[in-house]
Amino acid sequence: MTRSESVQTAQTAHVQKITFFNLAIVLALCLGSLTYGYTFSIVSTTLGQPSWFKYFNLTQDPTDTERYAYTNRIIGGMNACFSGGGFLGALFVGWSSDYLGRKKTLLVGTPIAILGGALQGGAVNIAMFLVGRLLGGFSVVGILVVLVPLFQSEIAPPATRGFLVSQHGVVLVLGYSLAAWVGVACYFSDNEAFQWRFPLIVQVIWPLIMLILTPFLPESPRWLLFKDRPADAWNVVAKLHGTGQETDPAVASFAREEFYQMSHQVQADKRMAAGETLMTLFKKPSYRRRMICAFLTMFGAESTGILVIYNYSVLLYQGLGFTGSIPLILAAAYVSVACCGNYINSMIIDRIGRKSCLVIGFSGCLICLCFEAALSAQYIGSSDSAGLSAGVFFLFLYITFYGCFVDATTFVYCSEIFPTHIRSRGLAFSLAILFLSTIAYLEAAPTAFAEVGWKYYLLFIILTAINLPLVMYFFPETKGLSLEEIGERFGDEVVVHLTDLSEEERAKLDERIIAEKQGLAADHVEMTAPGKAV
């Protein structure tokens, strides 16, 4: 075996054997994912607690026309506040994560998340509850759900980036599941205040733990390079790869090559950023294509109706004829399936690719929505147990497709397609689109289901049918590439290539790295063709 083949084999083994430090950072950041999943999901179980309706003088009785209409407006407004706060938070994090850094922005977001949860759990009137939802949306949706996958993508090695960043989706849906089962357990309490207050107040635990752990996290090495702190950046990279006195030389070589690539690409990005404005995101062709892909990813995922179906799942099961605690149990089982699906998603995304996952997922969701609409039209309001059970089956099949192929993939794809200097703004834009869509869909959902019933599914069927071919023909694949090399798929220049180098090219690159480290080389690597270094 040649030296180059030996290095590449060792590198492959290394990136598949993730270091404890790398995994620890990813999991610590996943506390933000858990915060989002629990905080977003808990409202669904709250809607299954009769004591919550009773305390705020709301009703689930459609014959009480005036109060029922008011209740639907409050439910829609509750979700609109959360999503609206998320939109504002996404705009904030696009600025703060570049200006303050990834780590300091976490320190801003987590205390606000704690305050939002406390206001919801301790609400004495509906206005206080809505303010808590707004703050929760700003911090949890706007800041944490943007920052976590961004941060994870910047500290993950290329070959396992999909798996590591997918843990955001896995733990996020674990938060959904946890919230659902806590809601089920509290439903059986004889204390009416405990029934709905305890599940809401639990949401402060995860951001509190994250606030304690954040000072021990390293800063993103790519952000440090962008702020002209190469020594600090190298220390982080070396620790991420576990380099030390007893490190395999091939592993140390890989760490040096990765750092060399990111440092040179950051310098090139800084030169480009010097003359850019906010509008450059939409005017420059390579950036514009990224923005379109980000838009279609998040808008397409939300346009499958996922958050509408989950957020109102208890009400949907009630509409299918289930009563008592059964709708809450079904909702909890639903998100448990989603949690397992997200883990499957994390295991396959680096194998079959991001684009393939989205295509399979959207196709499966589309088919399930068609069957669900037809069954709802035929059997809602009837006593046909077979037809109603079939409706539940297709809701579960729907979440299986979404969880296994779409959910985690959306965060992975949008966090990796943007270059370092616009990654936070690009991902913030992605999540802003997601939650603008959420506002429109969730705000309208209670009234839509009450007025047009199953026909509301037609909106999601049509939009998914439109989005699917756009993903198939417009999206580039990004699996296996470093964050720096992904730019080439969108038409940008890549200064240093590491993927698929020949033995001779890798040897030359290693020599250049050593020479530059000794101060004997020029400031950049000249590239003669994609994947070719001289």
Side-chain angles (χ1 to χ4, degrees):
M1 181 179 289
T2 66
R3 174 187 175 280
S4 177
E5 290 170 338
S6 176
V7 170
Q8 289 174 314
T9 301
Q11 287 171 358
T12 301
H14 169 61
V15 295
Q16 291 178 351
K17 185 179 179 182
I18 302 163
T19 64
F20 174 79
F21 183 64
N22 205 316
L23 185 60
I25 296 171
V26 168
L27 294 180
L29 290 170
C30 280
L31 285 167
S33 315
L34 186 62
T35 302
Y36 167 74
Y38 190 95
T39 302
F40 182 86
S41 178
I42 197 61
V43 73
S44 179
T45 61
T46 301
L47 294 177
Q49 308 288 3
S51 55
W52 181 81
F53 288 87
K54 180 180 177 181
Y55 183 86
F56 290 112
N57 195 29
L58 304 173
T59 184
Q60 294 177 285
D61 182 6
T63 61
D64 189 348
T65 309
E66 187 174 342
R67 285 179 62 214
Y68 186 67
Y70 172 73
T71 298
N72 282 336
R73 289 195 298 271
I74 291 297
I75 294 173
M78 181 170 61
N79 288 298
C81 282
F82 192 69
S83 299
F87 173 72
L88 296 175
L91 296 180
F92 170 80
V93 78
W95 166 81
S96 66
S97 59
D98 281 341
Y99 183 75
L100 300 176
R102 284 49 166 156
K103 184 174 174 178
K104 288 183 179 178
T105 302
L106 284 176
L107 292 172
V108 172
T110 45
I112 301 175
I114 295 168
L115 177 60
L119 288 175
Q120 292 169 62
V124 296
N125 54 54
I126 199 65
M128 184 175 173
F129 186 88
L130 293 176
V131 170
R133 290 299 288 173
L134 181 67
L135 290 177
F138 180 86
S139 59
V140 177
V141 179
I143 297 177
L144 297 184
V145 83
V146 173
L147 195 55
V148 168
L150 183 153
F151 208 152
Q152 290 172 332
S153 72
E154 293 187 338
I155 56 101
T160 54
R161 188 175 57 249
F163 172 78
L164 289 174
V165 181
S166 290
Q167 299 314 302
H168 170 64
V170 174
V171 178
L172 186 155
V173 181
L174 177 63
Y176 286 179
S177 182
L178 183 61
W181 288 113
V182 168
V184 170
C186 292
Y187 178 86
F188 295 100
S189 172
D190 294 329
N191 186 322
E192 291 189 348
F194 182 84
Q195 279 182 349
W196 67 271
R197 288 191 187 276
F198 179 77
L200 288 167
I201 205 66
V202 165
Q203 66 187 292
V204 308
I205 295 174
W206 327 121
L208 180 60
I209 297 173
M210 191 171 193
L211 182 62
I212 295 170
L213 292 179
T214 297
F216 300 99
L217 297 176
E219 183 55 87
S220 162
R222 288 174 169 88
W223 183 83
L224 290 170
L225 284 169
F226 211 80
K227 295 299 179 179
D228 297 319
R229 295 166 60 184
D232 293 335
W234 167 247
N235 289 336
V236 175
V237 170
K239 197 170 182 181
L240 288 171
H241 288 285
T243 60
Q245 292 182 348
E246 299 180 359
T247 303
D248 186 318
V251 173
S253 176
F254 178 73
R256 288 195 301 269
E257 289 173 359
E258 184 182 50
F259 182 73
Y260 183 83
Q261 182 189 53
M262 71 172 67
S263 60
H264 279 254
Q265 190 65 47
V266 162
Q267 292 305 313
D269 289 346
K270 286 180 70 174
R271 289 192 293 271
M272 287 191 296
E276 293 178 353
T277 65
L278 183 61
M279 291 307 299
T280 307
L281 292 173
F282 302 93
K283 290 181 177 180
K284 187 174 179 178
S286 62
Y287 292 179
R288 183 168 60 244
R289 187 180 180 190
R290 288 177 169 95
M291 298 295 275
I292 293 173
C293 286
F295 173 89
L296 290 175
T297 299
M298 290 303 186
F299 178 73
E302 186 57 35
S303 294
T304 63
I306 181 62
L307 292 184
V308 170
I309 291 174
Y310 175 64
N311 236 38
Y312 299 107
S313 58
V314 171
L315 303 181
L316 291 176
Y317 296 132
Q318 290 172 346
L320 288 170
F322 298 94
T323 58
S325 62
I326 300 300
L328 280 172
I329 293 172
L330 285 172
Y334 181 88
V335 291
S336 297
V337 171
C339 186
C340 294
N342 269 262
Y343 185 73
I344 294 172
N345 195 173
S346 74
M347 297 299 291
I348 65 175
I349 189 171
D350 286 319
R351 291 177 171 85
I352 71 174
R354 286 64 159 151
K355 180 177 177 178
S356 297
C357 281
L358 291 175
V359 169
I360 295 170
F362 284 168
S363 300
C365 289
L366 177 60
I367 294 169
C368 293
L369 285 171
C370 291
F371 278 100
E372 187 63 33
L375 290 166
S376 297
Q378 183 69 27
Y379 295 110
I380 281 186
S382 74
S383 58
D384 190 313
S385 59
L388 295 173
S389 297
V392 174
F393 167 78
F394 278 103
L395 284 177
F396 274 77
L397 184 60
Y398 165 90
I399 195 57
T400 300
F401 272 105
Y402 191 89
C404 289
F405 296 102
V406 178
D407 208 353
T409 304
T410 59
F411 295 104
V412 173
Y413 195 70
C414 289
S415 67
E416 66 186 10
I417 61 175
F418 294 98
T420 299
H421 66 292
I422 63 168
R423 184 167 294 118
S424 61
R425 283 173 286 167
L427 189 54
F429 168 81
S430 307
L431 272 298
I433 292 299
L434 173 67
F435 287 100
L436 278 177
S437 304
T438 302
I439 293 171
Y441 296 147
L442 291 183
E443 171 70 19
T447 303
F449 280 123
E451 297 296 329
V452 300
W454 66 271
K455 294 179 182 177
Y456 194 42
Y457 287 117
L458 296 179
L459 172 66
F460 305 118
I461 291 170
I462 293 169
L463 289 175
T464 303
I466 293 171
N467 289 327
L468 180 58
L470 293 175
V471 172
M472 293 173 65
Y473 296 109
F474 190 72
F475 279 32
E477 182 54 70
T478 58
K479 72 169 183 175
L481 299 173
S482 68
L483 291 179
E484 287 71 28
E485 290 171 333
I486 287 172
E488 192 169 60
R489 297 292 173 92
F490 291 91
D492 285 340
E493 176 193 5
V494 176
V495 180
V496 179
H497 287 75
L498 294 181
T499 306
D500 299 326
L501 290 181
S502 67
E503 176 185 354
E504 181 182 355
E505 290 165 345
R506 187 169 295 278
K508 288 183 177 180
L509 180 59
D510 289 344
E511 291 171 2
R512 188 62 176 270
I513 293 171
I514 294 171
E516 185 167 308
K517 188 175 181 180
Q518 295 172 343
L520 302 176
D523 291 332
H524 66 278
V525 168
E526 183 180 355
M527 309 300 287
T528 57
K532 306 297 181 181
V534 294

